[in-house]
Structure formats: C-alpha cells, structure tokens
C-alpha cells in the first residue's frame, strides 16, 4: 500500500483535494506543476517501482500495455479515485510503427503530463469532425514546438494533437482522468483518412451480438 512519503501518494492527495470541488481539469495546474518540479523526481519514481512487493508489481505489469510508439506503464489505478498515473516510455524512433501518436488525434480522457527525460516535437491542431460519422474530415496545425525535459502541459479530451517524433529514451509521466467519451478519433495527414478507436474492454456487448 502506498504511504504519504511515496511521490505518487503525495500527488494523489493533492489531485483529489483540488478535484473535490471542481470539474475543471485545468485546476490541477498548480499542484501538478509543483509536484513535477520537485528535485530528484525520476530517482523517487525509480525507487518506488524497485520497492514494489511482488503482487503490486505484477498488478502494475498487468495494467500496462504496448502501443505503436511507446510502452504505457500504469503506476497507480485505484478504483475510488477519478484519475490514474502512468509512465510513457517512448521507443527509439526507428522502432515506431505508423499509428496513433504520430497521427492527429484526441483521447477519451483529459490528462496532465510532464517530460521526465528526453524531448519530443508536440503539435496542436484544430480539427473538423463530421457530425454524422464522428470522424475527422480535415485538420489544421495551430502550433508546434520541441519540448525538453521538465516541460508540463495539459490536454483535454476534445483537443487534438500529434507527436511526430521523440528523442530516444524519452519518458513522460501522466495524470489521466477517467474516460469522458466512449472512443477517440485519429486523422492521418498523409492519406487524409480518419479512424475511430474503441477500447476492447467496452466491446463485450458487440462481441455477444456477433458471436
């Protein structure tokens, strides 16, 4: 069980206190930025992971997953908390497969993030979404820049972004809200095709209808 001396437990207390009276995810700016700027954060997170007993360590691994561009490690996911904590370990650029992170996309959840090491090119877009299909028909770049270690930022579920490249060994920490929509969408700027992304855990009803 996490204690108050654990960096994740301290952040959870701050986030829960700030979220208690507000639905505005941007209200987390002050506690998250303060936490992300603490000296030795990477070492604290490393110590936390190294000290996990076998059962919590196995649970963390079961919650984690591989994507086309990075490994997503779920460090904390308590049922009664309206958020979860993640480490994203980006693969070397040569190992990226064309897919989600390097397309224009949104997410089913809001999140705060900080770059623990490395850097990446982050682009924000305005997107036109077809009302009937829910898919993106066009996307326009608003702003893009290279962000180094120590950068923090927020992205809401209805905002669109893209990470076309990241330095080798880049790692980020994220505070994610619970899902606020059933799916997300992506748009490939090269082929101008859009896709809807529905998590498998929400498709049991469709499986039963089709089996």
């Amino acid at each position: 069980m996490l204690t108050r001396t654990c960096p994740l437990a301290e952040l959870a207390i701050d986030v829960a206190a700030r979220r208690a009276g507000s639905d505005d995810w941007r209200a987390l700016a002050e506690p998250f930025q303060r936490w992300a700027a603490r000296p030795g954060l990477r070492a604290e997170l490393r110590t936390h992971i190294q000290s996990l007993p076998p059962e919590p360590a196995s649970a963390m691994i079961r919650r984690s997953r591989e994507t086309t561009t990075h490994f997503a490690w779920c460090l904390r996911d308590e049922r009664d908390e309206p958020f979860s904590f993640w480490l994203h370990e980006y693969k070397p650029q040569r190992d990226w497969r064309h897919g989600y992170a390097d397309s224009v996309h949104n997410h089913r959840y809001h999140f705060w993030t900080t770059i623990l090491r490395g850097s990446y090119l982050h682009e924000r877009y305005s997107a036109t979404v077809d009302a009937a299909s829910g898919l993106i028909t066009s996307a326009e770049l608003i702003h893009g820049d290279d962000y180094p270690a120590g950068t923090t930022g927020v992205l809401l579920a209805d905002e669109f972004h893209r990470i076309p490249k990241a330095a080798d060994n880049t790692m980020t920490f994220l505070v994610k809200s619970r899902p606020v929509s059933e799916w997300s969408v992506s748009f490939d700027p090269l082929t101008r095709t859009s896709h809807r992304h529905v998590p498998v855990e929400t498709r049991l009803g469709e499986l039963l209808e089709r089996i």
Side-chain angles (χ1 to χ4, degrees):
M1 198 70 180
L2 297 176
T3 67
R4 289 184 66 90
T5 59
C6 170
L8 299 185
E10 292 181 14
L11 179 61
I13 291 169
D14 277 347
V15 173
R18 189 58 61 97
R19 289 282 295 159
S22 174
D23 290 329
D24 182 3
W25 197 253
R26 296 188 189 279
L28 297 181
E30 192 273 333
F32 181 74
Q33 291 172 347
R34 183 182 65 246
W35 181 87
R38 60 196 289 157
L41 177 58
R42 280 175 51 198
E44 286 188 278
L45 293 174
R46 185 185 310 113
T47 298
H48 164 69
I49 296 171
Q50 288 177 332
S51 63
L52 286 174
E55 185 174 340
S58 296
M60 181 191 76
I61 293 171
R62 288 194 300 270
R63 295 191 302 262
S64 303
R65 60 181 183 268
E66 180 184 7
T67 77
T68 57
T69 54
H70 60 275
F71 299 98
W73 298 94
C74 185
L75 301 188
R76 181 183 177 107
D77 188 2
E78 301 289 341
R79 184 175 300 178
D80 60 344
E81 294 176 340
F83 52 81
S84 57
F85 294 164
W86 296 75
L87 275 180
H88 285 186
E89 175 194 359
Y90 281 84
K91 300 174 182 179
Q93 193 85 38
R94 64 180 180 275
D95 293 334
W96 284 27
R97 301 192 308 277
H98 188 64
Y100 201 58
D102 55 351
S103 68
V104 178
H105 64 278
N106 68 341
H107 295 271
R108 295 185 302 127
Y109 47 82
H110 314 309
F111 69 88
W112 273 96
T113 186
T114 184
I115 302 177
L116 295 175
R117 64 178 299 175
S119 63
Y120 57 50
L121 172 60
H122 185 260
E123 299 174 341
R124 287 181 177 266
Y125 286 79
S126 63
T128 302
V129 179
D130 181 76
S133 67
L135 298 178
I136 299 172
T137 57
S138 65
E140 181 179 353
L141 178 65
I142 299 174
H143 176 75
D145 206 349
D146 287 300
Y147 291 99
T151 302
T152 62
V154 63
L155 197 78
L156 304 183
D158 61 353
E159 297 178 322
F160 293 87
H161 75 145
R162 178 177 180 240
I163 300 177
K165 64 178 182 179
D168 287 355
N169 301 314
T170 293
M171 188 171 295
T172 62
F173 177 90
L174 298 91
V175 178
K176 297 182 182 180
S177 75
R178 296 303 176 186
V180 298
S181 61
E182 296 182 4
W183 59 76
S184 60
V185 290
S186 66
F187 179 79
D188 187 328
L190 297 178
T191 63
R192 303 190 67 79
T193 56
S194 181
H195 297 279
R196 179 182 296 181
H197 303 271
V198 181
V200 65
E201 61 268 21
T202 68
R203 298 190 72 256
L204 180 58
E206 293 184 41
L207 170 64
L208 295 176
E209 291 177 359
R210 296 182 181 188
I211 196 168

